[in-house]
Amino acid sequence: MAGPPPHPPHAPPPDPPLAPPPDPPEGDPRLSPDTSWRPWSAALALIGGLVLAAVAGLVVDLPALAFGVEITTTHTPPGLAIADTVVQDVAFVLAAVYCARIGGRTLHSWQFGLRRPGVGWWPASRLILALLVVFIVLSVVWSEVLNPTKEKLLEQLGANEGALLLVLSAGLTCVIAPICEEFLFRGYIFTALRNWRGTLPAALLTGLVFGGVHVGSAPVLDLVPLAGLGFGLCLLYRHTGSLYPPIVAHSLNNSLAFSSLENWSWQLPVLMVGSLLCIGALALAFERAGLISLGRTSRPRGQIGSPR
């Protein structure tokens, strides 16, 4: 039997596979991490997140339409609106992870700031409180001067149509949205833009985009304070070294807004504490699953998308 053909004597060796660009080391845990993510990928993550969110919403809505659920341009049944918003928030996370993996990069949870605050929780708590106080004061002044219309998001989610929808709306607004939005806007977009012109321009652009994506879910006049909050959350992330303080601040702010719209009193601290406990439980669950690491330094089990 004839053997394999001989290797051509002068054939050039095959080109080695391109190695993904190495990421910088984890660096100073007191500051948000530096990565090799390209600044242009911030726009890709935003557009990809919005497109994926729209597609995910259709995946939820089309079967509902097939079963006779009435959906119009002005009205979506509350339960379906909650489902749409959940899958859209998850789409934000998937878009950020996809863009971070461009070029075959290996991802670690610390690159998105999923680690304990390098400055410590007590200093981080003071910064969270300072940000919320400044935002609340500026929001009150803004409302008194311009008198924006009342937000109708909770009506769209059906928070006033039953206990179950109320609980689901609170969980979406105060737990799911803060986690997913912070993962995309602070964890990825702000981090990628910092590689272009540094912290302040990146925080300003991210804040403006953060305010802009709330068109439709918040009154137009409220978009300016939301952009200011987005700017402050970027600085909070940068100067605590962790994404958890922005998630906490975002959750507490949404809890305040939710309670205000519902005219709650004693329910406010219950909502705040319950939301933070849920966020902590989710973080521990992801850590146990090996998807993130809660320590300050990266570990193999903190690789995003890797099994434990």
Side-chain angles (χ1 to χ4, degrees):
M1 177 182 288
H7 186 73
H10 301 294
D15 293 332
L18 294 177
D23 268 297
E26 187 166 354
D28 189 348
R30 296 169 298 179
L31 296 173
S32 64
D34 298 316
T35 71
S36 61
W37 300 336
R38 301 296 186 186
W40 58 263
S41 68
L44 179 63
L46 174 64
I47 296 172
L50 294 175
V51 171
L52 186 59
V55 172
L58 286 176
V59 171
V60 173
D61 290 348
L62 290 178
L65 286 170
F67 281 98
V69 177
E70 185 177 351
I71 304 174
T72 67
T73 56
T74 58
H75 174 73
T76 300
L80 196 58
I82 291 174
D84 286 343
T85 309
V86 169
V87 297
Q88 289 164 11
D89 283 341
V90 173
F92 284 176
V93 174
L94 296 178
V97 171
Y98 175 82
C99 289
R101 292 183 65 91
I102 290 176
R105 293 179 176 89
T106 299
L107 300 187
H108 299 273
S109 55
W110 64 262
Q111 293 169 305
F112 291 93
L114 297 176
R115 58 186 183 181
R116 291 188 177 92
V119 298
W121 268 112
W122 179 241
S125 299
R126 294 201 300 266
L127 292 175
I128 292 171
L129 179 60
L131 172 61
L132 290 177
V133 169
V134 170
F135 176 68
I136 290 170
V137 170
L138 292 179
S139 296
V140 169
V141 173
W142 183 266
S143 297
E144 290 296 324
V145 173
L146 297 177
N147 193 26
T149 58
K150 186 177 180 181
E151 187 174 333
K152 296 183 178 180
L153 176 62
L154 298 188
E155 295 179 13
Q156 297 170 0
L157 297 177
N160 58 345
E161 296 185 19
L164 178 59
L165 289 176
L166 178 65
V167 171
L168 292 176
S169 299
L172 171 62
T173 305
C174 305
V175 178
I176 302 300
I179 294 174
C180 297
E181 291 180 9
E182 291 308 308
F183 192 91
L184 174 63
F185 289 100
R186 258 57 64 178
Y188 191 84
I189 292 177
F190 169 68
T191 302
L193 287 177
R194 281 192 58 253
N195 293 327
W196 178 47
R197 288 290 188 269
T199 297
L200 289 180
L204 179 60
L205 286 173
T206 305
L208 291 174
V209 171
F210 179 72
V213 298
H214 287 85
V215 171
S217 63
V220 174
L221 290 177
D222 281 349
L223 300 183
V224 174
L226 285 173
L229 176 63
F231 176 82
L233 289 170
C234 290
L235 298 185
L236 178 64
Y237 177 38
R238 180 58 180 164
H239 294 291
T240 59
S242 170
L243 193 65
Y244 291 117
I247 291 175
V248 169
H250 197 150
S251 175
L252 292 176
N253 175 72
N254 285 9
S255 297
L256 283 167
F258 192 101
S259 298
S260 175
L261 291 173
E262 290 292 320
N263 296 315
W264 281 356
S265 55
W266 61 267
Q267 297 96 331
L268 171 59
V270 174
L271 178 60
M272 286 181 166
V273 173
S275 299
L276 296 183
L277 288 176
C278 288
I279 291 171
L282 287 173
L284 286 174
F286 284 123
E287 196 269 346
R288 292 288 180 87
L291 295 176
I292 66 174
S293 170
L294 296 182
R296 289 188 180 179
T297 57
S298 59
R299 300 194 297 255
R301 65 191 297 226
Q303 293 182 359
I304 292 179
S306 300
R308 188 170 179 175

